[in-house]
Amino acid sequence: MADIDYETKYFFPVKPIPRLSCRDPEALRLISSEKPVVLTDAKLCDSALKWNLDYLAQHIGPAKHVVFASQCDEFKYYDETKISQYCPNFKRPTQRLEITFQEFANKLTQWNPGQEKLYLQQGLNSSVGTVIAADFVSFNWPWLNAQTKTQGWGTLTSNLLLVAMAGNVTPVHYDEQQNLFCQLVGHKRCILFSPDHHDRLYPHPVYHPHDRQSQADIFKPDFDKFPGLRQISAQSAVLGPGDVLYIPIYWWHHISSLHNHPYTVSINFWYKGASTDMVIYPLLDRQKVAIMRNIEKMIMDALKKPTEVDQFFQSLILGRYT
Ligand SMILES: CC[C@@H](CC(=O)C(=O)O)C(=O)O
Ligand SMILES: [Zn+2]
């Protein structure tokens, strides 16, 4: 599978994300400098390469799983807890369901065009069956623990099991965690943008349910509303079974499931960033994003009204810092 799927036309420059062996010093250098890399031989989750729909339905257990339903291919994340406080009229772009894996698998196998798309996104927890637990224990933890220790990352906060229908899209967003993203079944195209794209990808305000999500659509660009889109540039990779993509903390990413398989299965490893973040100048781009987020939170706590934020910052900056 090509590094980037050339049949997709991008209006912005795209370079391939390097595909390297996990033993290649260059791969470790990229991870240490918080740059994306695809590790082709980490064998991180080889015991899960057999996690197809039937196997998971048979072994994952009777617990309910979080499944999002969408009237289109897009599954834009929203924070439910931020709706009531500031956005009571927020229109949820997807519906959140809680169904068993078997119910989800049945819906997938009986799906017809025109029906809503589904995306299972469930943190792995102790409710999984013993067979799945045994596969999980067989992950390459020695390599993973050595790697995360070397990088000084914090604790493993969660493993998200992702089962997407072909064509599903997770629009551009960033996360505040380090991420080792393992592709198990099918192929996913991942498009990544560096953290310095904050003023070119226009994240929703921090108080908004779509916090951390881009307001812009990189496949239907509105250059009038978001002129900074003209300056974006990306790195991209198509991940196949066994590939592990390092998505550095605060790096924007757009992820879609390709049509060469009816569904895709992935599992991610989200880690807290390094706690001992020395403040060395010049500040890292991700540090500037973290500072901007803290300032937004402080201002919203103080002003309480989103509509007053614009005027507040104009008064602070116009004619004084501009
Ligand atoms: C959350 C879904 C997304 C993965 C992702 O954004 C992440 O692991 O951070 C995807 O694969 O569609
Ligand atoms: Zn993400």
Side-chain angles (χ1 to χ4, degrees):
M1 183 59 78
D3 271 349
I4 48 179
D5 47 331
Y6 290 102
E7 67 270 16
T8 302
K9 291 291 160 268
Y10 302 95
F11 72 83
F12 47 89
V14 181
K15 287 189 306 184
I17 296 173
R19 292 177 63 88
L20 300 170
S21 162
C22 64
R23 283 176 295 282
D24 185 330
E26 175 59 9
L28 302 179
R29 190 193 66 76
L30 287 168
I31 296 174
S32 302
S33 49
E34 296 189 348
K35 289 196 175 60
V37 59
V38 176
L39 304 174
T40 56
D41 59 357
K43 297 192 174 309
L44 182 49
C45 303
D46 276 10
S47 53
L49 293 175
K50 57 182 178 293
W51 284 10
N52 61 30
L53 218 51
D54 293 340
Y55 184 90
L56 288 169
Q58 194 179 347
H59 297 297
I60 204 161
K64 301 280 189 188
H65 288 69
V66 173
V67 173
F68 292 100
S70 174
Q71 296 303 320
C72 66
D73 280 347
E74 293 216 338
F75 290 80
K76 186 170 182 178
Y77 173 79
Y78 57 93
D79 182 339
E80 190 72 38
T81 64
K82 295 191 175 181
I83 295 176
S84 54
Q85 191 172 6
Y86 292 115
C87 302
N89 304 323
F90 176 73
K91 189 177 175 315
R92 292 169 180 78
T94 61
Q95 185 196 0
R96 186 180 187 279
L97 312 169
E98 293 201 9
I99 56 177
T100 67
F101 195 96
Q102 188 58 65
E103 287 166 331
F104 169 72
N106 294 344
K107 286 175 179 286
L108 246 57
T109 40
Q110 293 153 24
W111 185 84
N112 290 302
Q115 289 178 335
E116 58 191 5
K117 299 297 290 295
L118 298 172
Y119 201 157
L120 182 141
Q121 302 187 1
Q122 174 64 48
L124 282 184
N125 54 44
S126 55
S127 75
V128 297
T130 50
V131 169
I132 298 297
D135 293 340
F136 185 83
V137 167
S138 307
F139 289 172
N140 189 351
W141 294 106
W143 176 85
L144 187 59
N145 296 337
Q147 191 53 241
T148 52
K149 187 164 183 282
T150 306
Q151 301 303 338
W153 294 356
T155 51
L156 172 64
T157 58
S158 62
N159 294 95
L160 206 54
L161 174 64
L162 300 161
V163 184
M165 295 174 67
N168 282 13
V169 173
T170 297
V172 179
H173 70 282
Y174 68 86
D175 302 296
E176 295 180 274
Q177 303 202 67
Q178 302 286 9
N179 184 352
L180 287 171
F181 185 91
C182 303
Q183 190 54 23
L184 302 174
V185 173
H187 287 76
K188 271 181 166 176
R189 178 193 62 202
C190 307
I191 308 171
L192 273 63
F193 302 87
S194 50
D196 66 338
H197 277 74
H198 186 278
D199 57 359
R200 290 173 270 170
L201 287 173
Y202 304 88
H204 287 269
V206 169
Y207 73 86
H208 192 279
H210 282 323
D211 172 27
R212 297 181 294 104
Q213 319 297 306
S214 171
Q215 297 178 76
D217 181 339
I218 58 171
F219 288 102
K220 286 186 230 121
D222 180 341
F223 293 115
D224 296 329
K225 196 171 176 189
F226 307 118
L229 286 175
R230 290 194 189 286
Q231 275 74 46
I232 65 174
S233 64
Q235 294 185 47
S236 179
V238 172
L239 304 181
D243 285 341
V244 178
L245 169 64
Y246 169 47
I247 305 176
I249 190 169
Y250 287 105
W251 273 67
W252 299 83
H253 43 287
H254 176 283
I255 299 185
S256 48
S257 291
L258 300 189
H259 286 274
N260 61 335
H261 197 275
Y263 61 89
T264 60
V265 182
S266 321
I267 182 170
N268 75 12
F269 293 70
W270 265 324
Y271 284 87
K272 287 197 183 308
S275 52
T276 57
D277 221 5
M278 309 271 284
V279 179
I280 300 169
Y281 290 91
L283 289 176
L284 300 173
D285 292 320
R286 66 163 169 84
Q287 288 174 318
K288 291 178 184 172
V289 174
I291 292 167
M292 284 191 274
R293 289 181 61 81
N294 287 336
I295 291 171
E296 272 192 66
K297 287 171 189 170
M298 271 168 46
I299 297 299
M300 276 307 297
D301 284 349
L303 297 180
K304 301 290 183 222
K305 287 193 190 136
T307 51
E308 293 184 11
V309 174
D310 183 13
Q311 184 54 53
F312 179 90
F313 279 118
Q314 302 250 9
S315 313
L316 178 68
I317 292 169
L318 291 186
R320 301 181 61 239
Y321 286 89
T322 54

